[in-house]
Amino acid sequence: MKHLIIYAHPNAASLNHHLKQTVIQTLEQGEHQIEVRDLYQLDFNPVLSLADMAGQRKGEVSEEVQKEQEYITWAEHITFVYPIWWTGMPAIMKGYIDRVFSYGFAYRYDGGVQKGLLKGKRATLINTHGKSQAEYKGIGMDKALSLTSDTGVYGYCGLEIAQHFFFDQADRPSPERIQEWKEMLIASYQY
Protein backbone atom coordinates (compact mmCIF):
# COMPACT_ATOMS: atom_id res chain seq x y z
CA MET A 1 0.00 0.00 0.00
CA LYS A 2 1.13 3.57 -0.64
CA HIS A 3 1.48 5.44 2.64
CA LEU A 4 2.03 9.17 2.98
CA ILE A 5 3.00 10.57 6.38
CA ILE A 6 2.51 14.29 6.90
CA TYR A 7 4.38 15.32 10.01
CA ALA A 8 4.54 18.62 11.91
CA HIS A 9 6.80 19.04 14.91
CA PRO A 10 9.99 21.12 15.05
CA ASN A 11 11.84 18.91 17.54
CA ALA A 12 13.51 15.75 16.24
CA ALA A 13 13.72 14.51 19.85
CA SER A 14 9.97 14.91 20.45
CA LEU A 15 7.42 12.25 21.29
CA ASN A 16 5.70 13.06 17.98
CA HIS A 17 8.92 12.24 16.12
CA HIS A 18 9.22 8.99 18.06
CA LEU A 19 5.63 8.04 17.18
CA LYS A 20 6.23 8.89 13.51
CA GLN A 21 9.29 6.64 13.50
CA THR A 22 7.23 3.83 15.02
CA VAL A 23 4.76 4.11 12.15
CA ILE A 24 7.56 4.16 9.56
CA GLN A 25 9.31 1.12 11.06
CA THR A 26 6.03 -0.82 11.24
CA LEU A 27 5.16 -0.01 7.63
CA GLU A 28 8.66 -0.94 6.45
CA GLN A 29 8.19 -4.41 7.91
CA GLY A 30 5.06 -4.78 5.78
CA GLU A 31 6.95 -3.70 2.66
CA HIS A 32 4.65 -0.74 2.01
CA GLN A 33 5.69 2.21 -0.10
CA ILE A 34 6.27 5.17 2.22
CA GLU A 35 6.73 8.89 1.68
CA VAL A 36 7.26 11.29 4.58
CA ARG A 37 6.61 15.02 4.35
CA ASP A 38 8.21 16.68 7.41
CA LEU A 39 6.78 20.18 7.16
CA TYR A 40 9.40 21.81 9.39
CA GLN A 41 12.27 20.08 7.62
CA LEU A 42 10.79 21.17 4.28
CA ASP A 43 10.41 24.70 5.64
CA PHE A 44 6.92 24.62 4.18
CA ASN A 45 5.43 28.08 3.77
CA PRO A 46 2.09 27.96 5.62
CA VAL A 47 0.87 31.40 4.59
CA LEU A 48 -2.13 31.34 2.26
CA SER A 49 -1.52 34.34 0.03
CA LEU A 50 -3.83 36.34 -2.21
CA ALA A 51 -2.04 34.75 -5.17
CA ASP A 52 -2.80 31.29 -3.72
CA MET A 53 -6.46 32.17 -3.28
CA ALA A 54 -6.79 33.60 -6.79
CA GLY A 55 -5.00 30.61 -8.31
CA GLN A 56 -7.06 28.00 -6.47
CA ARG A 57 -10.28 29.10 -8.14
CA LYS A 58 -8.61 28.80 -11.53
CA GLY A 59 -6.96 25.48 -10.74
CA GLU A 60 -3.52 27.07 -10.62
CA VAL A 61 -1.25 26.39 -7.67
CA SER A 62 2.38 27.09 -6.86
CA GLU A 63 5.04 24.51 -7.62
CA GLU A 64 5.41 23.85 -3.86
CA VAL A 65 1.69 23.14 -3.50
CA GLN A 66 1.53 21.07 -6.68
CA LYS A 67 4.31 18.82 -5.39
CA GLU A 68 2.38 18.17 -2.15
CA GLN A 69 -0.81 17.50 -4.09
CA GLU A 70 1.05 14.93 -6.18
CA TYR A 71 2.04 13.09 -2.98
CA ILE A 72 -1.58 13.13 -1.79
CA THR A 73 -2.82 11.89 -5.18
CA TRP A 74 -0.25 9.08 -5.06
CA ALA A 75 -1.18 7.96 -1.53
CA GLU A 76 -3.78 5.39 -0.58
CA HIS A 77 -3.42 6.00 3.15
CA ILE A 78 -2.38 9.33 4.70
CA THR A 79 -1.15 9.58 8.27
CA PHE A 80 -1.07 12.97 9.96
CA VAL A 81 1.21 13.26 12.99
CA TYR A 82 1.15 16.48 15.01
CA PRO A 83 0.63 17.81 18.53
CA ILE A 84 -2.46 19.63 19.69
CA TRP A 85 -1.38 23.17 20.59
CA TRP A 86 -3.95 25.65 21.89
CA THR A 87 -6.68 23.09 21.08
CA GLY A 88 -5.72 22.91 17.43
CA MET A 89 -3.11 21.84 14.94
CA PRO A 90 0.23 23.68 14.68
CA ALA A 91 0.17 26.70 12.37
CA ILE A 92 2.39 24.98 9.81
CA MET A 93 -0.08 22.08 9.53
CA LYS A 94 -3.06 24.44 9.31
CA GLY A 95 -1.26 26.38 6.58
CA TYR A 96 -0.52 23.13 4.76
CA ILE A 97 -4.23 22.31 4.81
CA ASP A 98 -5.13 25.85 3.71
CA ARG A 99 -2.76 25.78 0.76
CA VAL A 100 -2.66 22.12 -0.33
CA PHE A 101 -6.23 20.98 0.30
CA SER A 102 -7.40 23.56 -2.17
CA TYR A 103 -10.68 24.05 -4.00
CA GLY A 104 -10.76 21.86 -7.09
CA PHE A 105 -8.21 19.47 -5.64
CA ALA A 106 -9.56 18.34 -2.25
CA TYR A 107 -13.15 19.56 -2.56
CA ARG A 108 -15.53 21.45 -4.82
CA TYR A 109 -19.16 22.44 -5.07
CA ASP A 110 -21.46 20.90 -7.66
CA GLY A 111 -24.70 22.84 -7.96
CA GLY A 112 -24.15 24.29 -4.50
CA VAL A 113 -23.48 20.88 -2.96
CA GLN A 114 -20.08 20.25 -1.39
CA LYS A 115 -18.16 17.24 -2.72
CA GLY A 116 -15.00 15.76 -1.18
CA LEU A 117 -12.53 14.87 -3.91
CA LEU A 118 -10.20 12.67 -1.86
CA LYS A 119 -12.68 9.79 -1.59
CA GLY A 120 -11.16 6.34 -1.64
CA LYS A 121 -8.24 7.39 0.56
CA ARG A 122 -7.95 6.51 4.23
CA ALA A 123 -6.48 8.71 6.93
CA THR A 124 -5.06 8.10 10.37
CA LEU A 125 -4.48 10.95 12.79
CA ILE A 126 -1.94 10.78 15.57
CA ASN A 127 -2.19 13.66 18.03
CA THR A 128 -0.47 14.31 21.33
CA HIS A 129 -1.67 16.80 23.92
CA GLY A 130 -0.81 17.84 27.46
CA LYS A 131 -4.24 17.67 29.06
CA SER A 132 -5.71 14.40 30.29
CA GLN A 133 -8.51 12.67 28.41
CA ALA A 134 -10.73 13.26 31.46
CA GLU A 135 -10.10 17.03 31.38
CA TYR A 136 -10.87 17.22 27.66
CA LYS A 137 -13.98 15.07 28.05
CA GLY A 138 -15.16 17.18 30.98
CA ILE A 139 -15.25 20.34 28.87
CA GLY A 140 -16.31 18.68 25.61
CA MET A 141 -12.96 19.33 23.94
CA ASP A 142 -12.64 15.65 22.94
CA LYS A 143 -15.74 15.94 20.77
CA ALA A 144 -14.76 19.39 19.51
CA LEU A 145 -11.33 18.19 18.36
CA SER A 146 -12.82 15.22 16.53
CA LEU A 147 -15.53 17.34 14.96
CA THR A 148 -13.23 20.09 13.72
CA SER A 149 -10.52 17.82 12.34
CA ASP A 150 -12.19 14.53 11.42
CA THR A 151 -15.41 16.01 10.06
CA GLY A 152 -14.55 19.64 9.36
CA VAL A 153 -11.26 19.08 7.54
CA TYR A 154 -10.49 15.51 6.57
CA GLY A 155 -14.00 14.13 6.12
CA TYR A 156 -15.01 17.30 4.31
CA CYS A 157 -12.42 16.44 1.68
CA GLY A 158 -13.67 12.86 1.39
CA LEU A 159 -11.02 11.10 3.45
CA GLU A 160 -12.21 8.08 5.40
CA ILE A 161 -10.89 8.26 8.96
CA ALA A 162 -9.39 4.86 9.75
CA GLN A 163 -8.37 5.84 13.26
CA HIS A 164 -7.74 8.94 15.35
CA PHE A 165 -5.32 8.56 18.24
CA PHE A 166 -5.28 11.15 21.02
CA PHE A 167 -2.29 10.51 23.29
CA ASP A 168 -2.87 12.52 26.44
CA GLN A 169 -0.55 13.97 29.06
CA ALA A 170 2.13 13.70 26.40
CA ASP A 171 4.28 16.34 28.04
CA ARG A 172 5.06 13.92 30.88
CA PRO A 173 4.51 10.30 29.77
CA SER A 174 6.08 7.35 31.53
CA PRO A 175 8.19 4.93 29.49
CA GLU A 176 5.43 2.35 30.04
CA ARG A 177 2.83 4.71 28.60
CA ILE A 178 4.96 5.43 25.54
CA GLN A 179 5.40 1.69 25.00
CA GLU A 180 1.62 1.23 25.24
CA TRP A 181 1.10 3.92 22.58
CA LYS A 182 3.73 2.36 20.34
CA GLU A 183 2.00 -1.01 20.61
CA MET A 184 -1.32 0.59 19.68
CA LEU A 185 0.26 2.12 16.57
CA ILE A 186 2.05 -1.09 15.62
CA ALA A 187 -1.20 -3.06 15.89
CA SER A 188 -3.11 -0.55 13.76
CA TYR A 189 -0.52 -0.56 10.94
CA GLN A 190 0.04 -4.31 10.68
CA TYR A 191 -1.93 -5.36 7.62
Side-chain angles (χ1 to χ4, degrees), residues 8-9 39-40 43-46 89-97:
H9 199 291
L39 302 184
Y40 283 96
D43 196 23
F44 184 83
N45 177 6
M89 59 183 71
I92 199 166
M93 181 64 80
K94 177 63 167 73
Y96 183 91
I97 299 296

Side-chain angles (χ1 to χ4, degrees), residues 63-75:
E63 187 176 313
E64 177 183 39
V65 169
Q66 183 178 2
K67 184 174 187 177
E68 298 308 314
Q69 289 179 345
E70 288 169 0
Y71 281 109
I72 291 168
T73 299
W74 168 85

Side-chain angles (χ1 to χ4, degrees), residues 56-106:
Q56 286 180 356
R57 289 294 176 175
K58 296 186 274 182
E60 299 170 2
V61 295
S62 70
E63 187 176 313
E64 177 183 39
V65 169
Q66 183 178 2
K67 184 174 187 177
E68 298 308 314
Q69 289 179 345
E70 288 169 0
Y71 281 109
I72 291 168
T73 299
W74 168 85
E76 297 170 291
H77 192 124
I78 304 169
T79 298
F80 298 87
V81 183
Y82 56 88
I84 300 296
W85 290 339
W86 290 101
T87 67
M89 59 183 71
I92 199 166
M93 181 64 80
K94 177 63 167 73
Y96 183 91
I97 299 296
D98 288 346
R99 294 188 68 211
V100 177
F101 284 46
S102 61
Y103 182 85
F105 172 73

Side-chain angles (χ1 to χ4, degrees), residues 170-185:
D171 55 339
R172 54 192 178 282
S174 67
E176 295 79 21
R177 194 75 193 266
I178 293 171
Q179 184 60 36
E180 179 184 321
W181 294 338
K182 284 179 61 175
E183 288 171 12
M184 290 170 68
L185 292 175

Side-chain angles (χ1 to χ4, degrees), residues 56-57 59 101-119 153 155-158:
Q56 286 180 356
R57 289 294 176 175
F101 284 46
S102 61
Y103 182 85
F105 172 73
Y107 71 98
R108 74 170 182 249
Y109 294 97
D110 290 339
V113 177
Q114 181 274 335
K115 180 178 182 181
L117 301 177
L118 301 180
K119 286 195 184 307
V153 176
Y156 187 84
C157 295

Side-chain angles (χ1 to χ4, degrees), residues 100-149:
V100 177
F101 284 46
S102 61
Y103 182 85
F105 172 73
Y107 71 98
R108 74 170 182 249
Y109 294 97
D110 290 339
V113 177
Q114 181 274 335
K115 180 178 182 181
L117 301 177
L118 301 180
K119 286 195 184 307
K121 297 180 184 297
R122 299 187 65 182
T124 297
L125 286 78
I126 301 169
N127 295 141
T128 59
H129 57 82
K131 294 275 191 188
S132 70
Q133 301 288 21
E135 287 175 281
Y136 267 0
K137 187 174 183 178
I139 61 173
M141 191 57 65
D142 58 337
K143 292 179 184 168
L145 287 170
S146 291
L147 181 63
T148 57
S149 63

